[in-house]
Amino acid sequence: MAWEEFAVSGVTESTPTNILLGAGTLYRNFVFDAEAKKWNGAILGATSGGNKLSIVPEVLDIEADGVLVKAKGLRHKIGETATIETNMLEITGEWIKSVIIGETGVSADERFDVIESKALIEDGDYIENFAFVGFKTNGDPIVVIFDYAICTSGLEAEGKNKENSVFPATFECVADLVAGGNTNKLPYHIYTVKETQQVPSEE
């Protein structure tokens, strides 16, 4: 007996073009210029070992007597986290300041800039329009933007003989506390290219 109504896999004719390929690229100040109809931003730097995007809702299961399993209507979203983990290959002064939440100090040697700790987080320490841009196998981009992001992992460096160092960092999306602002959801945006709708012709 043939069971033709059951598919043997989830693969369809569109599968080969819908696969995310490569490590992606990280940007700061990544915004869309409506007049020029293009995206602009500053590349954060070269990475090695890839980037990891995580968007995770926090769900509360309300307990009710007699309800012994998870149930629709009794599950409520009470928060969420959105993070991007990266492994930076390049190291610059601006990168160091952003991951340690530091500031420029006064250098005793004029040939050097010096970065020092700071006591308080200021508005300028948040990276605005922090973006991950990846590409599908058909060349279409997928863009994820955090309105505001801040590094929560600090600076970690491990040097080894005959190996290059990479600098892991985790950037977390945060809300903006402004009058009338929305603080029950995170300000992230995921852009995907619109799928072409093919309307069947009438015969």
Side-chain angles (χ1 to χ4, degrees), residues 11-71:
V11 175
T12 67
E13 63 275 4
S14 62
T15 296
T17 62
N18 284 330
I19 298 170
L20 193 64
L21 190 65
T25 307
L26 299 180
Y27 292 82
R28 64 167 66 232
N29 302 322
F30 197 68
V31 295
F32 181 69
D33 184 334
E35 185 175 337
K37 296 192 180 302
K38 62 182 292 188
W39 291 89
N40 295 301
I43 294 176
L44 212 59
T47 59
S48 178
N51 301 297
K52 179 181 178 182
L53 168 69
S54 299
I55 298 176
V56 183
E58 183 182 356
V59 176
L60 171 68
D61 287 296
I62 296 175
E63 295 185 6
D65 292 340
V67 181
L68 306 181
V69 297
K70 298 181 188 298

Side-chain angles (χ1 to χ4, degrees), residues 67-89:
V67 181
L68 306 181
V69 297
K70 298 181 188 298
K72 292 196 309 180
L74 294 180
R75 310 201 81 200
H76 291 271
K77 184 178 178 182
I78 59 171
E80 60 188 341
T81 59
T83 59
I84 291 176
E85 298 175 42
T86 185
N87 297 286
M88 192 59 59
L89 182 62

Side-chain angles (χ1 to χ4, degrees), residues 5 18 57 74 78 101 103 128 182-183 198:
E5 66 266 36
N18 284 330
L74 294 180
I78 59 171
I101 311 177
E103 63 184 351
E128 292 192 33
N182 199 330
T183 55
Q198 293 186 350

